[in-house]
Amino acid sequence: MLSRRLAAVARRPILPLKPTSTPPQIRCLSQAEIEDPNMNGGYVNPPKIKRQFRDPYGDWWDKQERRNFGEPIHEDNDVLAIFSPYEYTHAPPGKAALHFSMFVATVAGLAGVVSLYYPDKPSVPREYPGGLDVELGGPGALRARKAGDE
């Protein structure tokens, strides 16, 4: 059966492929880098500035995004837009490390002072009349503190 199928397939005429309007282009990496170094199709990127640092009171067409109509968008807009993670610039890293170390030292100092003055046990241990022998199980049971015990 397989031989019959192979013979039938061999007798079929081979149809030529339809010619395409443009031949496929195979580029090497170096050619692509020469023609488009940023590999963004020739799109002109504006400067890489976060919208957070633009003037919030400026006359923007889109006041929320701080952007004018028709202004080109940077290809990394998801990182540079106003809703991207906020960049904290109010304290330099050295000053922030100083504040954090001062906080840790303060908490450790407070914990040390509390540990010095925190009572470990009651000032006078509680004593029970008869040592609670009956309540704890009788004369042979482990007894609680009795007057005079140390």
Side-chain angles (χ1 to χ4, degrees), residues 12-36:
R12 286 187 197 162
I14 299 175
L15 298 175
L17 295 175
K18 293 180 182 177
T20 58
S21 59
T22 57
Q25 296 180 357
I26 301 173
R27 297 181 178 183
C28 65
L29 183 61
S30 62
Q31 183 183 3
E33 288 178 356
I34 291 170
E35 290 179 7
D36 190 9

Side-chain angles (χ1 to χ4, degrees), residues 11-73:
R11 280 182 271 174
R12 286 187 197 162
I14 299 175
L15 298 175
L17 295 175
K18 293 180 182 177
T20 58
S21 59
T22 57
Q25 296 180 357
I26 301 173
R27 297 181 178 183
C28 65
L29 183 61
S30 62
Q31 183 183 3
E33 288 178 356
I34 291 170
E35 290 179 7
D36 190 9
N38 293 331
M39 297 189 335
N40 59 5
Y43 184 77
V44 178
N45 272 332
K48 190 173 182 177
I49 299 172
K50 283 187 72 118
R51 300 251 175 84
Q52 160 193 350
F53 300 122
R54 288 186 171 186
D55 182 20
Y57 304 109
D59 188 25
W60 303 108
W61 178 77
D62 183 0
K63 298 205 181 290
Q64 186 173 9
E65 275 289 323
R66 299 179 191 166
R67 182 175 171 265
N68 288 323
F69 182 77
E71 178 182 358
I73 298 175

Side-chain angles (χ1 to χ4, degrees), residues 120-142:
D120 290 336
K121 59 181 182 176
S123 57
V124 176
R126 192 164 182 184
E127 295 180 357
Y128 298 97
L132 295 176
D133 281 337
V134 176
E135 288 82 359
L136 289 177
L142 183 67

Side-chain angles (χ1 to χ4, degrees), residues 47-107:
K48 190 173 182 177
I49 299 172
K50 283 187 72 118
R51 300 251 175 84
Q52 160 193 350
F53 300 122
R54 288 186 171 186
D55 182 20
Y57 304 109
D59 188 25
W60 303 108
W61 178 77
D62 183 0
K63 298 205 181 290
Q64 186 173 9
E65 275 289 323
R66 299 179 191 166
R67 182 175 171 265
N68 288 323
F69 182 77
E71 178 182 358
I73 298 175
H74 196 277
E75 65 182 343
D76 293 331
N77 186 50
D78 54 344
V79 177
L80 301 174
I82 200 73
F83 293 114
S84 63
Y86 188 77
E87 188 172 327
Y88 295 102
T89 58
H90 61 276
K95 192 171 184 179
L98 176 70
H99 288 168
F100 182 72
S101 61
M102 286 173 33
F103 169 75
V104 169
T106 302
V107 169

